[in-house]
């Protein structure tokens, strides 16, 4: 039997469409109504002035002891308190949690975990191996906050900091006494003054650099990156800055108390380091110039291994400058308390090593001697028939420099087609070099990174630094000087900061998928390899701003992130700032730990808006100091 219909099919279709249209219009009307009500409510409750904005976002970062605090000012467009608990259930790091971490004893105020003089005594003194990095075991790690000295104050702003530092921040008079006649450092009331002197430049670093400039071109833009081995208080690097030359100064932690600490307090790039048995932590072909002024490195010993290491890190055509023993021994041999024969023999040995490396002696004048590395190895390869040693290294990663022993073979330069061609390509002069595509990228020698990646990264960090400028006032005010990028990638963050009075230590994690540090140096910036499961080679309180982009996503499965955060606290100055970029899950975990470290922090949306899964956490370390030891009656 046929099924009966109650009405016309056409009638039912029209009725259905009418109902659907009515429903859509009703929902749309409600949406518009609620949007208008929401907008009116936000407008009516908007803060009326700047101070109200700061109060709402909770940026009173200084403690009650703070003087002249500089909170990281958050933009009024940021959410006052982003609550992710309902949507993101994160297992908090149990070791740190939100527990309050205690201060360490005052005896740890200048603690350098991997260059601890007490631990160093246990290691081999041969070739000064005991002064290399020897990090604490997991059981030896401190679980407390390194205390600043009792009267610690914010360092002088750059450029005044080049010449002055507060005595109470680094209370050591040893250098001012030991090096008094050499004008390294002087105590004037409550501060140190750095006259710019040095053992081999009694007229001051400026005059000494002018002498060098008469011999090789320092101001043409060809020389941008330099390395100063055994740097003292880094006056050479400090005075090169006004000539647009950026110097990596390093010195061991030794009897000259706190050399590197003084350098960083001045706002000059520096690291604790030594030439002993391991490669220095920089890639091959990194520096345009290397310098040693009475740095006490035995260049002629161990088959010339230390000069071979300088050759590894020097760019093709780079210069090596030596002053002090044995140079000009005929004049100084009595003051150096050595015999003429001994000094002549040492200089002859250095000259011989340099010749075997195919270096050319540019000039020796007065107290200075300068050599130049060849621009390629065409003639050097041919000369191996004449010079049996050192041979040219085979199948070695020339950039590998993290806990890798030095070798007594010449690091080969990239191949060229003619003797006039610069190995690895010539670099643009500074400042064009900063944004020119690095040869390591244009040649395809970093797998997976193209010229297009490089250009995109530059644009990305220009936008991000513009955003940072809006939310962090000290960046604009010039309160920062020493900046660290914990995961530098291609150096885009450092490039975007060029207009600010800062320098950036670009760190490429030693376990990174892409070894980009060589490209960063080709841009005219400096940096180092590092494994963040260990302490950095610096003193406490030496950085004003730390940038940590996706660092914890890399390390959260390798080591306890609480210890990474404690290390960041150690090297961050009081009232210094950290910018974290990561997923919400990671940042909530990080914030739970920093809450117990006397840091004030705020999670904010990505600069592209709330729908980006990456968020930004801005944290400021509170001002507090350790207590002075009480005198016993």
């Amino acid at each position: 039997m046929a099924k009966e219909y109650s009405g016309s099919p056409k009638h039912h279709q029209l009725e259905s469409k009418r109902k659907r249209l009515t429903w859509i219009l009703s929902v749309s009307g409600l949406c518009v109504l609620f949007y208008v009500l929401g907008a009116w409510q936000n407008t009516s409750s908007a803060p009326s002035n700047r101070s109200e904005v700061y109060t709402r976002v909770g940026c009173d970062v200084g403690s009650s002891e703070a003087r002249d605090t500089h909170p990281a000012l958050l933009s009024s467009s940021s959410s006052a308190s982003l609550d992710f608990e309902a949507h993101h259930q994160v297992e908090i790091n149990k070791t740190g949690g939100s527990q309050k971490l205690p201060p360490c004893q005052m005896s740890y105020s200048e603690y350098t975990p991997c260059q601890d003089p007490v631990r160093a005594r246990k290691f081999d003194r041969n070739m000064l191996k005991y002064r290399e990095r020897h990090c604490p075991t997991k059981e030896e790690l401190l679980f407390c906050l390194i205390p600043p000295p009792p009267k610690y104050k914010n360092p002088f702003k750059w450029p005044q900091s080049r010449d002055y530092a507060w005595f109470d921040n680094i209370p050591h008079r040893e250098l001012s006494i030991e090096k008094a006649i050499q004008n390294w450092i002087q105590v004037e009331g409550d501060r140190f003054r750095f006259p710019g002197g040095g053992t081999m430049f009694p007229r001051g670093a400026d005059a000494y650099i002018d002498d060098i400039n008469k011999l090789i071109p320092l101001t043409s833009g060809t020389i941008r990156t330099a390395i100063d081995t055994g740097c003292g208080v880094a006056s050479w690097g400090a005075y090169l800055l006004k000539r647009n030359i950026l110097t990596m100064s390093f010195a061991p932690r030794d009897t000259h108390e706190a050399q590197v600490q003084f350098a960083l307090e001045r706002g000059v790039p520096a690291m604790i380091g030594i030439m002993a048995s391991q490669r220095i932590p920089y890639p091959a072909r990194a520096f345009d110039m290397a310098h040693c002024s009475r740095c006490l490195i035995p260049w002629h010993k161990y088959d010339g291994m230390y000069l071979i290491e300088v050759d590894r890190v020097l760019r093709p055509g780079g210069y090596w400058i030596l002053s002090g023993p044995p140079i000009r021994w005929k004049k100084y041999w009595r003051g150096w308390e050595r015999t003429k024969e001994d000094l002549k023999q040492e200089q002859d040995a250095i000259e011989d090593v340099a010749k075997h490396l195919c270096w050319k002696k540019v000039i020796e004048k007065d107290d200075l001697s300068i050599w130049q590395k060849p621009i390629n190895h065409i003639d050097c390869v041919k000369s191996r028939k004449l010079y049996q040693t050192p041979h040219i290294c085979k199948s070695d990663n020339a950039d590998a420099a993290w806990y890798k022993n030095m070798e007594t073979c010449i690091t080969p330069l990239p191949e060229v087609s003619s003797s006039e061609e610069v190995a690895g390509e010539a670099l643009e002069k500074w400042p064009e070099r900063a944004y020119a595509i690095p040869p390591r990228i244009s040649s395809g020698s970093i797998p997976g990174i193209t010229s297009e990646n490089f250009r995109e990264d530059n644009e990305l960090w220009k936008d991000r630094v513009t955003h940072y400028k809006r939310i962090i006032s000290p960046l604009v005010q010039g309160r920062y000087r020493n900046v660290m990028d914990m995961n530098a990638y291609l150096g885009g963050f450092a490039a975007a900061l060029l207009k600010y009075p800062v320098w950036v230590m670009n760190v490429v994690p030693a376990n990174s998928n892409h070894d980009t540090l060589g490209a960063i140096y080709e841009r005219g910036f400096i940096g180092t390899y590092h494994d963040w499961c260990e302490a950095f080679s610096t003193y406490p309180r030496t950085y004003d701003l730390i940038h940590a982009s996706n660092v914890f996503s890399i390390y959260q499965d390798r080591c306890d992130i609480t210890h990474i955060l404690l290390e960041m606290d150690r090297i961050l100055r009081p009232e210094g700032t950290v910018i974290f970029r990561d997923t919400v899950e990671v940042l909530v975990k990080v914030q739970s730990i920093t809450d117990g470290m006397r840091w004030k922090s705020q999670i904010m949306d990505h600069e592209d808006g709330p729908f980006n899964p990456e968020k930004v956490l801005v944290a400021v370390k509170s001002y507090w100091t350790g207590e002075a030891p009480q005198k016993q009656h």
Side-chain angles (χ1 to χ4, degrees), residues 162-229:
R162 187 194 70 179
D163 302 324
Y164 292 98
W166 296 114
F167 177 84
D168 287 327
N169 289 9
I170 313 175
H172 293 288
R173 295 180 182 270
E174 294 90 337
L175 277 175
S176 64
I177 298 168
E178 186 178 341
K179 302 291 183 180
I181 61 170
Q182 295 168 13
N183 244 5
W184 278 30
I185 183 172
Q186 296 171 357
V187 179
E188 295 182 352
D190 61 354
R191 65 194 66 185
F192 290 109
R193 187 168 73 85
F194 301 91
T199 310
M200 290 309 299
F201 30 97
R203 294 179 295 126
D206 234 2
Y208 175 79
I209 292 168
D210 284 340
D211 290 342
I212 295 172
N213 190 45
K214 292 170 188 172
L215 307 176
I216 58 173
L218 294 184
T219 55
S220 66
T222 304
I223 295 174
R224 164 63 181 173
T225 57
I227 183 168
D228 191 11
T229 53

Side-chain angles (χ1 to χ4, degrees), residues 127-128 275-277 297-311 406:
M127 293 180 69
L128 302 179
M275 298 193 80
S277 69
I297 295 171
W299 298 112
H300 59 301
K301 291 186 177 179
Y302 311 113
D303 298 320
M305 187 168 70
Y306 298 135
L307 268 187
I308 292 171
E309 175 65 357
V310 170
D311 180 79
M406 290 184 194

Side-chain angles (χ1 to χ4, degrees), residues 234-285:
S235 288
W236 189 70
Y239 282 86
L240 277 172
L241 284 166
K242 69 180 185 180
R243 295 163 172 88
N244 282 324
I245 295 174
L246 195 56
T247 306
M248 177 67 80
S249 299
F250 74 85
R253 176 160 187 168
D254 62 3
T255 52
H256 294 168
E257 194 68 51
Q259 296 174 86
V260 168
Q261 192 176 14
F262 276 120
L264 286 156
E265 189 74 7
R266 299 174 71 181
V268 179
M271 285 178 65
I272 301 173
I274 190 168
M275 298 193 80
S277 69
Q278 295 174 345
R279 285 181 172 178
I280 49 181
Y282 316 115
R285 296 180 282 129

Side-chain angles (χ1 to χ4, degrees), residues 544-556:
D544 303 295
L545 173 65
I546 299 176
H547 189 255
S549 178
N550 300 110
V551 171
F552 294 94
S553 290
I554 297 173
Y555 284 97
Q556 63 178 343

Side-chain angles (χ1 to χ4, degrees), residues 128-184:
L128 302 179
K129 291 178 183 177
Y130 74 105
R131 286 187 181 171
E132 294 180 321
R133 285 176 60 87
H134 300 290
C135 298
T137 62
K138 191 175 180 180
E139 294 69 34
E140 293 175 305
L141 293 172
L142 296 180
F143 200 68
C144 52
L145 304 172
I146 301 298
K151 297 179 183 178
Y152 181 89
K153 354 183 195 327
N154 289 327
F156 291 94
K157 282 187 186 181
W158 182 265
Q160 191 181 11
S161 65
R162 187 194 70 179
D163 302 324
Y164 292 98
W166 296 114
F167 177 84
D168 287 327
N169 289 9
I170 313 175
H172 293 288
R173 295 180 182 270
E174 294 90 337
L175 277 175
S176 64
I177 298 168
E178 186 178 341
K179 302 291 183 180
I181 61 170
Q182 295 168 13
N183 244 5
W184 278 30

Side-chain angles (χ1 to χ4, degrees), residues 415-426:
E415 292 186 6
V416 294
S417 54
S418 73
S419 57
E420 289 78 34
E421 187 180 344
V422 177
E425 297 182 34

